[in-house]
Amino acid sequence: MERTTSAYGVGGRWLPCLVLLAVLSATPWLLIIHCHRAASGSTPHPSLVTAAPASGREDGSQPRFPSVQEQQVKKLLIASAAGGEVRRSSNVGVTGEDACRGRYLYVHDLPPRFNADILADCRHWYPWMDMCPYLVNGGLGAHLDNADGVFADEGWYATDHFGLDVIFHARVRQYECLTNDSSLAAAVFVPYYAGFDVVRHLWTNNATAKDAAAVELVDWLTRRPEWRAMGGRDHFVMSGRTAWDHQRQTDSDSEWGNKLFRLPAVWNMTVLLVEKLPWTDFDFAVPYPTYFHPAKDADVLQWQQRMQGMKRDFLFSFAGGERPGDPNSIRHHLIRECGASSFCNLVQCHKSEKNCLVPSTFMRVFQGARFCLQPPGDTYTRRSAFDAILAGCVPVFFHPDSAYRQYKWHLPDDRDTYSVFISEEDVRSGNASSVEETLRQIPPVVVERMTETVIGLIPRLVYADPRSKLETLRDAVDFTVEAVIDRVSKLRKEMDHGASARGHLTQTATKIDIISWKFNIEINIGIIGSMHILIGFPKPSIVRVYDDMVHRNVAKYLIMPESTMNMWQGVRISTIWWERIFISSLLPNELT
């Protein structure tokens, strides 16, 4: 029988398949055309729109700077007030794996009195100056003019060295793994502007006003379910100032700073500052903000390349002033030696020296030297150290707390790869070689290697422009958040091996029973090795000590006598060093 091809034969069976294939092939193109037309009909992103003339006056003149400044600060206040309104990131890959697993951040939506309201008072933080200009451009400050050719044309701002509160918060808002579900969070950020809060009261004689916001914050946090999950151990907070501004030892109205570090709930959190205390383990130092805030990778790479090719005519340099009221300061020794050497470039700053307030002045000095001296100033650390690194100048430190014990998350473990250390005792005594002789002894090939290392550190030490995002490079905030998450992860594992944190207020607050003691019992405390010091136990008092992690009673009582002075007003004890402490006085039988 002859086989024929008909509409219902072999060709007929293939026809529906061909039609289906054609429809499937055309569908993606139809969707693309539809989305393109929909997008073209929507409002473009502001960054893609040609800017309208800035002038809002009939005569076409530009508005006065304060008006522009006020508008930018207003935008910053609005952004701060909306800081807790974050969207959960969509980071589910093609395979269905969540790229943010173990990396999510939850940001508390704080009442505005803890951030936006503080910014609104920027005109009155300092009695002698208006700080509002330093808050424009997302907290970066005014754009720096590059007339001297010291900077690059873009990415450089007049940033206040204590202005990290708002910059860090703005960068956290950019974090790729934000979530509204705190149960998914690897860490919880508290956008309390602790540094700006304390500075507005530093020159007042009212301890209650200095402490008010910090005390209210702790009360607010400890009532939240997010806090109860780990007793606050997964929380972290930023202060753009040094820890010395937050550890007032008494409730005296005239004493400097607030008592943030005396609040037991704070001991549970990870506290970020530009300088930590040497004896505490809950605070961590992050780099001071420099003037450079790159908007894209190319900004960083071009700057690094420029610093690598910089001609450096001086062996070393120093920019700073003496500390005549500080008998321990070595600055006058360094100024004398630098001023007498033709191989050192000295910029000596006096109170009336306005030239030292111009960023290009010392940046030019750093760019022209191989080594930059970084002695302690008012505190151990200096913003100048990071300005020097930014300029490709190898820092010379004179105290371990100026860098090595501070910025462990951001600087290499091997300090000899990027810096030189000269003990300030050697400088003070004059028994060792001079600074110049010490630096001359370093072989040129080693100096070149150190310079390359310093320039390579630049990306991790700068804070990128929070209004944009680096493509592949990681800045100081990226390294900080990663380190915080790693720390919280370790604490969580330790808790899993101990007791649950549920049901307690803080790591130590409700787990330390403080009993007022009417007798001043004299005791001796012998210490082998190091121990952690905190401020603020009532005096005299008897304290029951618990293990921080598992909340067990690991000791009997510790008496803090009324005669205790200065830093030794409180002791925080963990099981790992309780055996290193003994009390020579006998406690009453009913208390043992």
Side-chain angles (χ1 to χ4, degrees):
M1 182 176 180
E2 185 180 354
R3 299 179 64 182
T4 60
T5 301
S6 67
Y8 300 96
V10 176
R13 287 195 300 269
W14 279 102
L15 184 59
C17 297
L18 293 173
V19 173
L20 178 61
L21 181 62
V23 172
L24 292 176
S25 301
T27 299
W29 293 104
L30 293 174
L31 290 174
I32 291 173
I33 294 173
H34 172 74
C35 293
H36 175 72
R37 290 182 175 179
S40 63
S42 60
T43 303
H45 189 278
S47 63
L48 303 178
V49 179
T50 303
S55 175
R57 301 183 179 183
E58 294 181 0
D59 59 1
S61 61
Q62 297 294 326
R64 62 186 180 89
F65 175 75
S67 296
V68 177
Q69 168 192 315
E70 289 167 3
Q71 293 172 8
Q72 296 195 48
V73 171
K74 185 177 180 180
K75 292 179 181 178
L76 190 61
L77 294 177
I78 295 174
S80 298
E85 299 177 4
V86 298
R87 295 178 297 175
R88 177 180 173 181
S89 302
S90 178
N91 285 279
V92 180
V94 177
T95 62
E97 296 181 358
D98 189 351
C100 287
R101 182 180 177 86
R103 299 173 54 231
Y104 279 114
L105 282 187
Y106 178 86
V107 181
H108 271 299
D109 185 10
L110 296 183
R113 66 180 182 274
F114 298 122
N115 41 46
D117 290 352
I118 295 174
L119 292 183
D121 195 35
C122 56
R123 293 185 182 279
H124 307 107
W125 290 351
Y126 292 91
W128 58 87
M129 68 181 300
D130 177 7
M131 288 299 294
C132 294
Y134 292 93
L135 296 179
V136 301
N137 292 315
L140 306 181
H143 186 269
L144 285 176
D145 183 15
N146 191 33
D148 296 336
V150 176
F151 312 119
D153 291 335
E154 299 294 335
W156 291 80
Y157 299 87
T159 304
D160 179 54
H161 63 301
F162 288 142
L164 199 51
D165 297 48
V166 69
I167 298 173
F168 192 89
H169 185 194
R171 280 285 289 107
V172 167
R173 288 201 197 96
Q174 282 187 331
Y175 184 66
E176 60 185 351
C177 295
L178 295 177
T179 179
N180 281 330
D181 185 352
S182 63
S183 66
L184 297 176
V188 178
F189 179 56
V190 181
Y192 163 49
Y193 295 166
F196 292 155
D197 174 37
V198 69
V199 76
R200 59 181 178 161
H201 299 296
L202 282 179
W203 291 271
T204 63
N205 291 322
N206 188 331
T208 301
K210 295 176 182 178
D211 301 334
V215 172
E216 291 176 10
L217 175 75
V218 166
D219 181 67
W220 188 91
L221 284 174
T222 53
R223 296 174 185 271
R224 301 285 302 179
E226 297 87 0
W227 179 274
R228 291 194 293 270
M230 286 185 65
R233 293 182 189 83
D234 54 350
H235 284 49
F236 68 105
V237 65
M238 159 64 67
S239 170
R241 296 190 67 88
T242 72
W244 307 102
D245 294 328
H246 299 292
Q247 55 97 46
R248 195 187 70 240
Q249 301 170 39
T250 71
D251 289 332
S252 170
D253 287 337
S254 60
E255 193 170 350
W256 182 267
N258 66 13
K259 64 176 183 180
L260 180 69
F261 273 29
R262 288 178 56 197
L263 303 177
V266 175
W267 307 343
N268 283 29
M269 294 193 287
T270 298
V271 183
L272 309 176
L273 313 106
V274 293
E275 180 176 336
K276 75 180 298 295
L277 295 176
W279 53 80
T280 50
D281 61 355
F282 62 90
D283 57 333
F284 295 84
V286 298
Y288 281 87
T290 63
Y291 302 103
F292 184 38
H293 303 282
K296 53 185 181 298
D297 287 9
D299 295 342
V300 181
L301 299 176
Q302 290 171 5
W303 180 257
Q304 288 178 296
Q305 185 177 16
R306 178 178 170 184
M307 292 303 100
Q308 288 172 348
M310 190 66 62
K311 182 181 179 182
R312 303 182 186 274
D313 296 324
F314 291 92
L315 175 65
F316 63 115
S317 67
F318 176 66
E322 294 186 10
R323 292 294 186 272
D326 184 0
N328 296 317
S329 176
I330 62 171
R331 288 189 168 211
H332 60 286
H333 293 285
L334 301 179
I335 290 174
R336 186 186 310 118
E337 180 177 348
C338 183
S341 173
S342 60
F343 295 93
C344 185
N345 193 1
L346 174 65
V347 177
Q348 188 171 0
C349 299
H350 305 282
K351 288 186 177 181
S352 59
E353 184 68 45
K354 293 185 179 180
N355 194 38
C356 288
L357 300 177
V358 180
S360 61
T361 299
F362 45 87
M363 285 299 294
R364 182 186 296 104
V365 171
F366 296 157
Q367 290 174 8
R370 286 289 181 185
F371 299 95
C372 292
L373 308 186
Q374 302 296 334
D378 296 329
T379 63
Y380 292 124
T381 63
R382 301 182 74 200
R383 172 206 184 128
S384 174
F386 297 97
D387 291 332
I389 292 176
L390 185 59
C393 188
V394 177
V396 180
F397 296 113
F398 300 86
H399 196 287
D401 286 320
S402 291
Y404 309 136
R405 297 174 184 167
Q406 296 283 345
Y407 310 103
K408 296 182 178 181
W409 291 347
H410 298 81
L411 294 178
D413 293 333
D414 187 355
R415 68 188 191 187
D416 294 333
T417 61
Y418 70 93
S419 70
V420 175
F421 180 74
I422 302 174
S423 172
E424 59 180 1
E425 292 300 327
D426 291 338
V427 175
R428 191 178 294 112
S429 64
N431 295 329
S433 302
S434 67
V435 172
E436 181 176 334
E437 291 174 351
T438 300
L439 298 178
R440 279 183 173 279
Q441 293 172 4
I442 304 175
V445 63
V446 176
V447 176
E448 288 293 339
R449 192 182 310 126
M450 295 172 71
T451 302
E452 291 178 2
T453 301
V454 163
I455 294 173
L457 292 174
I458 291 176
R460 66 168 64 187
L461 300 181
V462 299
Y463 294 89
D465 190 330
R467 299 166 298 179
S468 58
K469 188 173 180 60
L470 300 181
E471 297 89 355
T472 61
L473 297 178
R474 301 167 65 218
D475 75 341
V477 174
D478 293 320
F479 276 87
T480 301
V481 171
E482 179 181 337
V484 169
I485 290 176
D486 182 62
R487 168 175 156 78
V488 172
S489 177
K490 292 177 180 177
L491 291 174
R492 186 177 283 111
K493 290 178 181 178
E494 291 179 13
M495 289 182 61
D496 291 341
H497 290 296
S500 171
R502 186 175 298 278
H504 74 285
L505 181 60
T506 70
Q507 186 168 317
T508 41
T510 60
K511 290 302 181 179
I512 291 183
D513 297 333
I514 299 178
I515 307 172
S516 297
W517 188 243
K518 59 184 177 181
F519 302 108
N520 187 9
I521 302 177
E522 182 178 357
I523 65 172
N524 295 317
I525 300 180
I527 305 174
I528 303 175
S530 62
M531 66 183 299
H532 295 261
I533 308 300
L534 285 177
I535 310 303
F537 285 121
K539 54 183 185 180
S541 62
I542 300 175
V543 179
R544 180 178 297 144
V545 181
Y546 284 78
D547 186 318
D548 285 345
M549 299 312 305
V550 298
H551 315 297
R552 293 176 303 167
N553 188 354
V554 298
K556 292 184 180 180
Y557 295 86
L558 175 66
I559 303 176
M560 300 309 301
E562 188 169 302
S563 60
T564 302
M565 298 297 291
N566 298 331
M567 297 299 183
W568 301 90
Q569 292 185 6
V571 181
R572 181 187 185 198
I573 303 173
S574 176
T575 50
I576 59 174
W577 11 278
W578 171 255
E579 61 187 17
R580 302 175 183 173
I581 299 175
F582 66 89
I583 300 178
S584 62
S585 299
L586 296 178
L587 299 178
N589 292 333
E590 64 269 24
L591 296 180
T592 56

